[in-house]
Amino acid sequence: MAIEFTKYHGLGNDFILIDNRSSSLPVVTPEQAIKLCDRHFGIGADGVIFALPGENGTDYTMRIFNSDGSEPEMCGNGIRCLAGFLADLEGNSRNKDLYRIHTLAGVITPQLMADGQVRVDMGLPRLLALEIPTTLNAADTKVINQPLEVAGQTWDVTCVSMGNPHCITFVEDVAAIPLEIIGPQFEHHLVFPQRTNTEFIQVVSRDYLKMRVWERGAGITLACGTGACASLVAGVLTEKCDRIATVELPGGPLQIEWSEIDQRVYMTGPAERVFTGKL
């Protein structure tokens, strides 16, 4: 059976989007996703995203397989790309401004903006160790500026879940971090029973952060939406940044807000269609 796909990227974090609305199960297996994501022998992507029928009153369901075949709870750049993909599928030229998407991290609401950007209500950050999850601290306490030994060095880390686990550490110069060496050691550290995404953050000013990321299941990527959200929350918790800031990733900037009114995190950024094809 031929499967049509569309390639999208959000600040260089790229995905293969598949119209899976006729079935509640992905039409591609995790093993097949690994091959599709291979940048030499496949299409090339950080993950494969499926647009499935909605559940519990939502418009659609999102599932994603990472480039290593694992399935994350959510993906911030991915859900922006999914919103653009859904608008294209519906043939409405992005006139529908709001989708309610069922994910493994709960219901996420992306909003298509007139300027082509996508604003996403990412929900409430989860801050207790049990919610991350991590054993770095007592289950019912927050993990803020806790020391963690990785690669023979002590890092002060703050942990946040945006429906998926994040470990954030603030550094003087993100460009100096050997991500390919340190990233896997964070991801697979024993204090993270479900592994973790890891963000290295350089505070340029209270409303401008630079970020590099090692994503769980994908490795080094050019952008991570949930990671940018988690990093701003960590910056607020450690009093390093304001509640509204630009987070500059290797692929470009995201606008992040942790609302003081409703305590929800909002992410705004692009979603660009690259090309379509058939498997």
Side-chain angles (χ1 to χ4, degrees):
M1 181 181 68
I3 300 174
E4 295 182 350
F5 71 89
T6 302
K7 179 79 176 286
Y8 266 82
H9 80 87
L11 299 179
N13 195 193
D14 56 343
F15 306 95
I16 299 163
L17 279 293
I18 294 177
D19 181 0
N20 212 126
R21 293 174 296 173
S22 62
S23 172
S24 59
L25 295 175
V27 295
V28 168
T29 67
E31 292 74 23
Q32 291 170 325
I34 294 172
K35 294 179 180 179
L36 293 176
C37 290
D38 190 288
R39 298 189 183 279
H40 298 287
F41 298 100
I43 298 168
D46 292 321
V48 180
I49 295 175
F50 306 90
L52 296 97
E55 299 180 22
N56 302 321
T58 58
D59 297 313
Y60 296 98
T61 295
M62 170 184 173
R63 289 185 64 183
I64 176 172
F65 294 150
N66 284 324
S67 57
D68 71 348
S70 61
E71 182 172 7
E73 299 86 350
M74 227 288 287
C75 174
N77 287 316
I79 202 163
R80 293 200 318 278
C81 292
L82 177 61
F85 179 62
L86 291 172
D88 292 341
L89 287 179
E90 294 177 351
N92 62 7
S93 300
R94 301 196 178 192
N95 289 329
K96 179 181 174 65
D97 64 353
L98 196 68
Y99 290 104
R100 296 183 72 251
I101 309 295
H102 176 82
T103 77
L104 295 179
V107 177
I108 306 294
T109 308
Q111 181 177 12
L112 298 163
M113 311 298 286
D115 63 358
Q117 298 278 295
V118 183
R119 186 174 190 263
V120 186
D121 177 352
M122 299 289 286
L124 300 170
R126 304 164 195 178
L127 305 177
L128 301 183
L130 180 65
E131 297 173 318
I132 306 301
T134 179
T135 59
L136 190 55
N137 215 345
D140 60 348
T141 62
K142 298 176 183 178
V143 181
I144 302 174
N145 273 341
Q146 292 295 308
L148 178 65
E149 291 287 335
V150 178
Q153 183 176 343
T154 300
W155 307 78
D156 289 332
V157 303
T158 298
C159 296
V160 176
S161 172
M162 294 302 307
N164 57 351
H166 293 272
C167 175
I168 300 98
T169 185
F170 293 89
V171 298
E172 290 296 320
D173 181 9
V174 290
I177 300 297
L179 264 185
E180 68 282 357
I181 297 173
I182 295 176
Q185 296 185 55
F186 270 93
E187 177 183 355
H188 296 280
H189 199 289
L190 292 177
V191 299
F192 301 111
Q194 295 180 15
R195 298 188 292 163
T196 190
N197 301 280
T198 308
E199 288 78 31
F200 298 87
I201 304 298
Q202 177 182 339
V203 179
V204 179
S205 65
R206 292 193 62 84
D207 62 354
Y208 188 82
L209 309 176
K210 283 187 176 181
M211 168 180 150
R212 291 180 69 203
V213 59
W214 178 273
E215 288 200 55
R216 179 186 60 167
I220 297 174
T221 61
L222 295 178
C224 176
T226 56
C229 293
S231 296
L232 180 127
V233 170
V236 173
L237 292 174
T238 55
E239 301 182 350
K240 297 180 185 297
C241 74
D242 298 333
R243 282 182 169 262
I244 301 176
T246 298
V247 180
E248 184 77 33
L249 305 109
L254 288 172
Q255 306 304 316
I256 310 296
E257 175 185 0
W258 186 15
S259 173
E260 200 161 9
I261 298 172
D262 61 14
Q263 298 301 308
R264 302 176 76 84
V265 181
Y266 296 89
M267 169 189 64
T268 302
E272 303 289 340
R273 181 173 56 189
V274 183
F275 61 84
T276 61
K278 185 179 292 185
L279 302 174

